[in-house]
Amino acid sequence: MLDNEDMGATTETAGRHRVVVIGSGFGGLFGTKALRRADVDVTMVAKTTHHLFQPLLYQVATGILSQGEIAPPTREILADQANARVILGEVTGIDLEARTVTSQVLGRATITPYDSLIVAAGAGQSYFGNDQFAEFAPGMKSVDDALELRGRIFGAFELAELAETEEETVRLLTFVVVGAGPTGVEMAGQIAELAHRTLRRDFRRINTHDARVILLDAAPQVLPPFGAKLGAATKKTLEKMGVEVQLGAMVIDVDERGLVVQDKAGDKTRIDAVTKVWAAGVQASSLGKTLSEQTGAALDRAGRISVNPDLTLPGHPEVFVVGDMISLDNLPGVAQVAIQGAKYASRVIKGRLANKPPEKPFKYFDKGSMATISRFKAVALVGRIRVTGFIAWLMWLGVHIVYLTGFKNRVTALGHWTISFLGSGRAERTATEQQIFARMAISRLERGTSDLVTDPGEWNDVRLELEARALEEAHLTDAGMRGRARVS
Ligand SMILES: Cc1cc2nc3c(=O)[nH]c(=O)nc-3n(C[C@H](O)[C@H](O)[C@H](O)COP(=O)(O)OP(=O)(O)OC[C@H]3O[C@@H](n4cnc5c(N)ncnc54)[C@H](O)[C@@H]3O)c2cc1C
């Protein structure tokens, strides 16, 4: 017989301090792991079954990596951590008074009590009040987003090969990326590489080199957090690759066939483009609002919640909020803020249980930022040092290999990078209709995916029919009747 640990079960101990962690992203995962040796029971509640390495989503969208390489199952990552349990569910309620978290999956509700809570639910895409744009310009926040975009990008080239007019071809071969931050720059660079390098021999009627890739931003520069110098260098590199960079350009409308841009003088221009990518803004998880309503902590315009210097909420020292959800000292929305914040929260919890003196306030250590532009070209900012080109790209490669979760993923990602960067191929070009349309179909259901779950009772007739068919199949084989005319 297997004991609990062999079965991968948690070793929950009655009366032990219960930590609930919301989210399986950088904050959630690193916070949970930091409690590995603590005398606590950890329950991670997350709405996906994977830990997502968001910085490489653009490579899934453009066919370089598979989704598995950047989104390993959280359950597998934590399999050896006996004090941790993972449950699937979207947190819909946090009751700070009762100290419970309510989560839902397919209409099933679960209530999880806690003694300490770490909220690391991250941020979603912001369309600045124009959520109707989302249907035509998917964001880049989830595996679903990346696969949908992969389908749309590769699908646009396929449809262009079939187009009957010049106008239609141009519309299909125009790709617009909205937002010139790191994600927008990386997407624009990769779509340009696809068009100019990867796909150039694959089509007969169209010349993929004719594709227009446009990067738009309302801001006056590319990559503002990297400073003016690196921003200018990035713009120059993109333009050399054939990307049209339009700055001071605000998107005011998006539809199926294109978008409308307004410049600073108020003039409007329409760009016909079937494929649009939205990489322009973030909105913190709506759980911030729930927490704000119960504590009075302020929310900023992006929905981020103000936290105390020790990352707790006013009047609730047992509740920590970390990562993209917080507004503290102008900290950026980057992975290291989430990782370091979650480790800090775990340290405070362990310290309290050991009756140690309180930790000093949370202090973020900036390890630098980097963004790739194309193969062999990147920009990096480490302290005051600015690096561009191949050296920056090598730094990018090193950091991403180190931080990708799991040895298996590192090896396969390296293989795929070799194919894409040294050769001209892409290992993950598979795109299906469901990738492109499933989300739209689900959004039309009244109760979302819950509407797709059938009452077990409704399956009885199907079961009877399947059983009868299986009996008939087995009889045909056993009676040697295959290939012989049936004698009635
Ligand atoms: C495309 C892209 C590229 C990026 N590139 C970089 C980069 O190069 N370098 C860098 O440092 N940072 C980068 N970032 C930012 C970085 O990924 C985030 O700062 C980081 O992920 C924040 O960590 P987090 O734990 O706060 O949130 P996340 O990592 O987003 O995790 C949030 C978790 O909460 C879960 N969740 C959300 N709502 C609920 C709910 N209601 N119930 C249950 N679970 C929920 C989500 O499923 C997810 O598991 C990038 C982000 C994106 C989107």
Side-chain angles (χ1 to χ4, degrees):
M1 191 163 142
L2 295 168
D3 64 19
N4 270 358
E5 223 158 295
D6 288 337
M7 290 189 296
T10 52
T11 50
E12 271 181 40
T13 309
R16 199 146 79 148
H17 190 87
R18 296 159 303 178
V19 183
V20 170
V21 176
I22 301 176
S24 59
F26 284 105
L29 183 66
F30 281 80
T32 303
K33 281 173 141 187
L35 290 165
R36 181 183 197 88
R37 287 183 227 293
D39 188 21
V40 297
D41 290 320
V42 189
T43 303
M44 175 193 277
V45 189
K47 68 176 178 184
T48 65
T49 56
H50 52 257
H51 161 68
L52 177 59
F53 192 88
Q54 287 177 339
L56 289 174
L57 269 174
Y58 77 97
Q59 296 205 355
V60 173
T62 53
I64 297 174
L65 295 180
S66 77
Q67 62 273 33
E69 280 158 326
I70 68 159
T74 323
R75 202 171 283 294
E76 186 183 73
I77 304 169
L78 295 173
D80 292 334
Q81 184 169 336
N83 70 347
R85 174 177 178 235
V86 179
I87 62 174
L88 176 66
E90 175 161 4
V91 173
T92 49
I94 302 172
D95 187 333
L96 295 184
E97 207 54 49
R99 297 195 177 182
T100 58
V101 165
T102 303
S103 53
Q104 310 265 349
V105 60
L106 294 176
R108 176 196 295 259
T110 306
I111 296 179
T112 314
Y114 64 80
D115 299 307
S116 295
L117 176 65
I118 302 178
V119 187
Q125 207 74 60
S126 167
Y127 288 84
F128 308 113
N130 295 294
D131 289 353
Q132 71 278 12
F133 294 174
E135 185 172 344
F136 311 112
M140 272 283 281
K141 283 285 176 187
S142 64
V143 170
D144 280 337
D145 291 337
L147 291 179
E148 184 176 338
L149 279 168
R150 186 198 286 175
R152 288 183 184 226
I153 293 165
F154 286 101
F157 287 102
E158 294 298 334
L159 292 178
E161 180 80 349
L162 296 169
E164 287 174 356
T165 63
E166 176 66 14
E167 189 196 350
E168 198 186 353
T169 310
V170 169
R171 192 165 54 237
L172 284 158
L173 289 184
T174 302
F175 299 84
V176 181
V177 180
V178 184
T183 303
V185 165
E186 288 168 337
M187 270 310 279
Q190 281 308 321
I191 297 173
E193 281 214 346
L194 271 182
H196 302 157
R197 207 165 148 264
T198 312
L199 301 178
R200 69 179 202 281
R201 296 176 59 238
D202 294 6
F203 291 86
R204 299 293 173 259
R205 284 186 62 189
I206 55 165
N207 180 355
T208 61
H209 219 284
D210 293 341
R212 270 180 89 190
V213 183
I214 304 170
L215 177 65
L216 299 174
D217 205 304
Q221 80 153 82
V222 169
L223 293 180
F226 286 69
K229 211 168 150 194
L230 285 184
T234 304
K235 179 169 179 281
K236 209 164 143 195
T237 309
L238 283 168
E239 285 170 343
K240 266 199 204 151
M241 292 168 59
V243 176
E244 295 172 37
V245 182
Q246 296 185 18
L247 300 172
M250 198 160 83
V251 175
I252 57 167
D253 197 14
V254 184
D255 59 38
E256 201 181 320
R257 292 169 164 238
L259 43 72
V260 179
V261 174
Q262 189 174 45
D263 65 19
K264 274 177 100 178
D267 294 332
K268 294 175 190 160
T269 315
R270 184 175 169 84
I271 302 172
D272 282 339
V274 169
T275 312
K276 284 86 59 184
V277 182
W278 194 269
V282 290
Q283 182 70 25
S285 157
S286 58
L287 292 180
K289 186 161 174 271
T290 314
L291 297 172
S292 159
E293 283 164 0
Q294 294 177 62
T295 59
L299 289 183
D300 69 9
R301 274 196 310 173
R304 289 175 303 196
I305 190 162
S306 291
V307 288
N308 295 328
D310 65 353
L311 306 182
T312 62
L313 290 177
H316 287 275
E318 75 285 6
V319 181
F320 299 82
V321 189
V322 301
D324 281 4
M325 285 186 69
I326 63 166
S327 164
L328 178 72
D329 302 337
N330 297 315
L331 288 175
V334 295
Q336 277 300 327
V337 169
I339 293 171
Q340 293 175 29
K343 286 182 174 173
Y344 172 88
S346 302
R347 226 170 29 244
V348 173
I349 294 171
K350 286 189 280 189
R352 284 179 189 163
L353 290 174
N355 287 322
K356 286 191 181 160
E359 287 271 335
K360 287 188 187 142
F362 171 64
K363 197 159 176 351
Y364 169 59
F365 173 63
D366 185 357
K367 295 185 176 177
S369 325
M370 47 188 68
T372 47
I373 307 171
S374 66
R375 69 183 189 131
F376 308 144
K377 291 189 187 94
V379 285
L381 179 66
V382 185
R384 287 166 175 271
I385 302 169
R386 292 170 169 76
V387 191
T388 56
F390 187 60
I391 304 283
W393 187 81
L394 283 180
M395 290 165 70
W396 169 88
L397 189 68
V399 167
H400 284 76
I401 286 290
V402 170
Y403 276 96
L404 253 190
T405 308
F407 177 72
K408 187 179 67 190
N409 287 348
R410 287 184 199 130
V411 172
T412 57
L414 257 181
H416 285 159
W417 284 336
T418 308
I419 293 170
S420 303
F421 300 142
L422 295 183
S424 63
R426 302 242 159 161
E428 299 291 337
R429 278 171 55 175
T430 309
T432 69
E433 273 191 3
Q434 289 193 17
Q435 275 169 220
I436 309 171
F437 299 111
R439 186 196 334 231
M440 269 185 260
I442 290 169
S443 72
R444 282 174 194 155
L445 298 172
E446 211 171 286
R447 294 180 306 137
T449 43
S450 304
D451 275 350
L452 300 172
V453 185
T454 321
D455 179 336
E458 292 173 31
W459 286 96
N460 285 344
D461 289 350
V462 180
R463 177 188 294 280
L464 289 176
E465 194 191 323
L466 288 174
E467 281 173 0
R469 262 199 245 162
L471 278 176
E472 170 75 5
E473 288 288 325
H475 172 70
L476 287 173
T477 303
D478 293 343
M481 291 168 71
R482 300 272 180 197
R484 282 206 274 139
R486 183 186 284 248
V487 183
S488 55

